[in-house]
Amino acid sequence: RVGSATSLSSAIINNRLQELVKLFKERTEKVKEKLTDPDVTSDDESPAASPAKLAPAAAPVPPPGGEPEGDKPAGDEHYCEMLCCTFKYRPWLDHLKNYRFPTSIDPLTNLMYVLWLFFVVMAWNWNCWLIPVRWAFPYQTPANIHCWLLVDYFCDLVYLLDILVFQTRLQFVQGGDIITDKKAMKENYLRSQRFKMDVVCLLPLDFFYFKVGVNPLLRFPRCLKYMAFFEFNNRLEAILSKAYIYRVIRTTAYLLYSLHVNSCLYYWASAYEGLGSTTWVYDGEGNSYIRCYYWAVKTLITIGGLPDPKTLFEIVFQLLNYFTGVFAFSIMIGQMRDVVGAATAGQTYYRSCMDSTIKYMNFYKIPKTVQNRVKTWYEYTWHSQGMLDESELLVQLPDKMRLDIAIDVNYNIVSKVALFQGCDRQMIFDMLKRLRSVVYLPNDYVCKKGEIGREMYIIQAGQVQVLGGPDGKTVLVTLKAGSVFGEISLLAAGGGNRRTANVIAHGFANLFILDKKDLNEILVHYPESQKLLRKKAKKMLKNNNKPKDEKGVPGDPLIIPPKADTPKLFQAALAATGRMGGKGPLAQLRWRLKELKAMQA
């Protein structure tokens, strides 16, 4: 029992001494690290993440004396009962009652204004297309005159609302400032050319109906509201992702409208000469509009096969039709060519670059395997990005706009990188502008073992594999989108670090590359983030330099772990007790330590 109690107390003392030695060694290492590198700070002294730094969002604090905000209903719930079921509905009537028309409208970005221009253009098209038809063809009769007048005056109401409600609320730029004052906007519209044309469009020539009858030609001034049509085209093309489709439709509409006007003129000429009076005029059989439109198509496109005109009037009319047809058709073809050319400009540039590269490779007799990889890179880059170089697209934009686009495109990926957690947010923004996007083909080497590392890689899309082992072909790890590698070489204080493994692309991979030179230029302005990144780099180097066995993995743990070295001060005390005759508690501890060393051996 005495021996067991002595052994138990010796074990307790031994454990306590081991803990003290461990604590002393950790503190010594920290002090030594501070002395060798003053930039390194302790965990307690690391810079706290300010609101402008990357930090996890704080949890919402519930209001005092109440339930959390997340548990509160967003608003009053409205229900309606139908067929024994309860359905939730939106109080659209309340929204409609509480709606307030804006005092000023931005004509460049307001979608409501674009929608209103659509209705104005529809009213303008009604007048442009149907006034010639009602004038030439006998489609307007006393039986249906009220329907035509109803739609006419509805279009006039749209014109009037456009003048009184919308045009007087449009913002404008004066001296670099956006003017939103109601009086200034109204005066700006009244002084513009647009107001004069709008007033001419609404000339009340309809009062002449009481004298000459309902003649559609008296509504011809309504067709002068062409400025709204061109403004609608500009606003619509600005918000469409494929504006060239609308341009093709608009150019086709121009051609159809010219044929429409020509068909109306032909029927008027036939009625002037007398329907069926000669072989050249319309004979009055079948659908009059379709027959006249067919004649207009053959005339304007100069297909031929038309009957020869007989009278002087018919000859002059036909000559004017031919000249107008050739002129109008050539303009339409040229405009269509410009529209299609603008739509395929990127594809044309891609084909020219690819053809030049293939010509260059054939001239220098590059191997076919290399040529095929180059062609594959061109094809994948074009189809995945829609362009070959993203920087060419943004070079014309101001620096602030380039930053806004870079934040929307790349910030979600870069902010998730653990290396940059805690860094200044503005430093991340500056870094986004320096990133270069590069596409790698399957089995392309991103970096090779032994190369000098001068850049860091962030995976935007795809996967890469880290290879190692004796043959250098064993897949150690597969990195996916959002992962980062190469940061040790980028942040090493000594510089010129060599790559420690081969990294290849597993399939098509799109990577962001950050050069060491660019990062150093950025960190000069952010000393706190520079200290934090240096500390993380040293920790990563320290973890990578841990001893490993021959296979590259940590060795198996020992059954009895090795004991920490005895402090020198304690060894001196034990030596002194040995010279004093080997008595006392220190002598017993010395004997116990020797016993432990023998057991470990």
Side-chain angles (χ1 to χ4, degrees):
R1 290 179 180 178
V2 174
S4 61
T6 304
S7 303
L8 183 60
S9 60
S10 300
I12 294 174
I13 294 173
N14 182 34
N15 294 335
R16 182 57 182 166
L17 288 174
Q18 294 291 341
E19 293 177 1
L20 291 174
V21 170
K22 183 178 180 181
L23 293 175
F24 282 140
K25 291 189 67 177
E26 291 179 356
R27 184 174 180 181
T28 304
E29 290 293 333
K30 289 183 178 180
V31 173
K32 185 187 296 183
E33 191 175 0
K34 282 186 178 181
L35 293 176
T36 55
D37 191 353
D39 290 340
V40 178
T41 57
S42 62
D43 296 337
D44 299 334
E45 298 174 351
S46 58
S50 62
K53 296 181 181 181
L54 295 177
V61 180
E67 55 183 333
E69 296 180 358
D71 299 335
K72 289 186 178 181
D76 296 336
E77 294 182 350
H78 300 263
Y79 298 91
C80 62
E81 296 182 359
M82 183 184 298
L83 299 179
C84 302
C85 299
T86 303
F87 300 94
K88 186 183 296 184
Y89 71 96
R90 298 184 61 186
W92 60 272
L93 287 177
D94 295 340
H95 288 294
L96 188 61
K97 292 178 181 178
N98 298 330
Y99 179 75
R100 295 293 180 269
F101 198 81
T103 57
S104 64
I105 301 173
D106 184 4
L108 300 179
T109 59
N110 196 316
L111 296 180
M112 182 189 67
Y113 180 65
V114 178
L115 180 61
W116 171 252
L117 285 178
F118 170 75
F119 291 111
V120 176
V121 170
M122 292 298 294
W124 178 76
N125 275 279
W126 166 269
N127 293 315
C128 290
W129 285 78
L130 293 179
I131 286 177
V133 173
R134 294 159 60 186
W135 165 73
F137 292 91
Y139 292 152
Q140 179 177 299
T141 61
N144 60 12
I145 188 64
H146 60 280
C147 297
W148 293 104
L149 293 179
L150 180 63
V151 181
D152 286 344
Y153 292 133
F154 177 77
C155 295
D156 293 348
L157 177 62
V158 173
Y159 281 17
L160 188 62
L161 290 177
D162 183 58
I163 295 175
L164 299 178
V165 179
F166 285 89
Q167 297 301 320
T168 56
R169 285 178 166 85
L170 293 184
Q171 301 173 6
F172 65 98
V173 180
Q174 184 178 21
D177 296 330
I178 300 177
I179 306 301
T180 59
D181 181 67
K182 189 174 183 179
K183 183 178 179 181
M185 292 186 295
K186 185 176 180 180
E187 292 178 353
N188 178 71
Y189 172 62
L190 295 178
R191 292 193 304 265
S192 65
Q193 184 71 20
R194 177 82 171 263
F195 173 71
K196 299 175 183 178
M197 295 300 299
D198 290 345
V199 171
V200 173
C201 290
L202 288 177
L203 286 177
L205 300 180
D206 302 47
F207 289 108
F208 288 98
Y209 287 170
F210 297 104
K211 187 175 182 179
V212 299
V214 183
N215 189 349
L217 287 181
L218 294 175
R219 293 187 55 83
F220 180 76
R222 305 296 190 272
C223 300
L224 298 180
K225 201 174 178 62
Y226 59 89
M227 290 186 178
F229 173 70
F230 291 113
E231 184 182 6
F232 174 72
N233 291 334
N234 295 333
R235 301 293 177 261
L236 187 62
E237 290 178 5
I239 62 177
L240 291 177
S241 58
K242 295 182 179 180
Y244 65 89
I245 297 178
Y246 174 73
R247 296 190 189 106
V248 171
I249 296 175
R250 185 182 63 204
T251 305
T252 306
Y254 290 160
L255 177 61
L256 296 178
Y257 182 73
S258 61
L259 296 173
H260 168 77
V261 173
N262 194 30
S263 63
C264 295
L265 292 176
Y266 174 65
Y267 186 87
W268 169 82
S270 299
Y272 178 79
E273 287 284 306
L275 297 180
S277 59
T278 64
T279 58
W280 181 83
V281 299
Y282 170 59
D283 55 5
E285 297 181 0
N287 189 298
S288 58
Y289 181 78
I290 298 298
R291 294 291 186 93
C292 293
Y293 200 91
Y294 173 73
W295 182 91
V297 170
K298 296 181 69 176
T299 303
L300 284 184
I301 304 181
T302 62
I303 296 176
L306 295 173
D308 296 331
K310 304 298 182 182
T311 64
L312 179 62
F313 176 79
E314 294 175 356
I315 293 173
V316 173
F317 188 89
Q318 188 73 350
L319 288 175
L320 292 176
N321 254 318
Y322 280 138
F323 285 129
T324 306
V326 173
F327 182 71
F329 198 67
S330 60
I331 290 178
M332 298 301 171
I333 291 179
Q335 189 171 2
M336 188 68 73
R337 183 201 61 187
D338 294 340
V339 170
V340 176
T344 59
Q347 186 76 16
T348 304
Y349 173 74
Y350 156 70
R351 293 304 312 176
S352 63
C353 290
M354 190 171 182
D355 293 342
S356 301
T357 305
I358 293 175
K359 183 178 179 180
Y360 174 84
M361 292 188 296
N362 290 333
F363 179 79
Y364 286 99
K365 299 180 180 179
I366 305 298
K368 289 295 182 181
T369 55
V370 179
Q371 292 191 24
N372 291 335
R373 293 185 66 82
V374 171
K375 295 176 184 178
T376 305
W377 181 88
Y378 268 104
E379 291 284 347
Y380 178 78
T381 304
W382 175 255
H383 290 295
S384 61
Q385 300 180 171
M387 64 192 72
L388 298 178
D389 189 2
E390 295 180 353
S391 60
E392 294 181 358
L393 181 67
L394 306 177
V395 69
Q396 298 177 352
L397 296 178
D399 188 69
K400 181 62 173 62
M401 291 186 179
R402 288 203 301 269
L403 175 60
D404 294 340
I405 294 177
I407 291 174
D408 293 336
V409 175
N410 304 329
Y411 182 74
N412 290 334
I413 297 176
V414 177
S415 61
K416 296 177 183 178
V417 177
L419 180 66
F420 301 117
Q421 295 293 330
C423 293
D424 195 303
R425 185 185 295 269
Q426 189 59 41
M427 189 213 77
I428 303 296
F429 291 165
D430 293 343
M431 190 180 65
L432 290 176
K433 295 185 292 184
R434 306 293 185 96
L435 294 177
R436 294 184 295 107
S437 179
V438 179
V439 175
Y440 288 90
L441 301 183
N443 299 323
D444 271 356
Y445 276 91
V446 180
C447 57
K448 292 185 178 182
K449 184 176 181 180
E451 290 181 345
I452 302 298
R454 299 186 182 90
E455 56 272 325
M456 178 184 67
Y457 301 91
I458 303 174
I459 303 177
Q460 179 188 14
Q463 298 178 357
V464 299
Q465 293 179 340
V466 181
L467 305 182
D471 55 353
K473 297 181 179 180
T474 304
V475 179
L476 302 180
V477 66
T478 300
L479 304 178
K480 299 182 179 180
S483 302
V484 58
F485 60 95
E487 68 277 11
I488 297 179
S489 301
L490 193 70
L491 299 172
N497 289 35
R498 295 183 179 273
R499 303 293 188 188
T500 57
N502 295 328
V503 180
I504 65 171
H506 181 63
F508 292 96
N510 195 342
L511 308 181
F512 287 132
I513 297 180
L514 178 63
D515 291 333
K516 185 174 184 177
K517 180 181 177 182
D518 294 337
L519 182 61
N520 291 336
E521 292 177 357
I522 296 173
L523 292 179
V524 170
H525 307 285
Y526 304 96
E528 291 187 1
S529 300
Q530 185 177 16
K531 293 178 182 179
L532 183 62
L533 290 178
R534 282 186 180 181
K535 181 180 178 181
K536 290 185 177 182
K538 289 183 179 295
K539 285 184 178 180
M540 297 171 71
L541 283 172
K542 190 175 181 180
N543 294 334
N544 290 344
N545 291 334
K546 287 182 178 180
K548 298 181 180 180
D549 62 0
E550 295 180 357
K551 294 184 180 180
V553 296
D556 297 332
L558 299 174
I559 298 177
I560 302 178
K563 181 179 69 66
D565 296 337
T566 305
K568 295 181 180 179
L569 183 62
F570 194 64
Q571 290 181 357
L574 292 178
T577 55
R579 291 194 296 269
M580 292 174 59
K583 298 180 180 180
L586 289 178
Q588 294 180 2
L589 286 176
R590 183 183 179 186
W591 173 81
R592 182 61 180 167
L593 289 174
K594 288 183 178 179
E595 185 178 4
L596 288 174
K597 287 183 178 181
M599 291 175 62
Q600 290 178 357

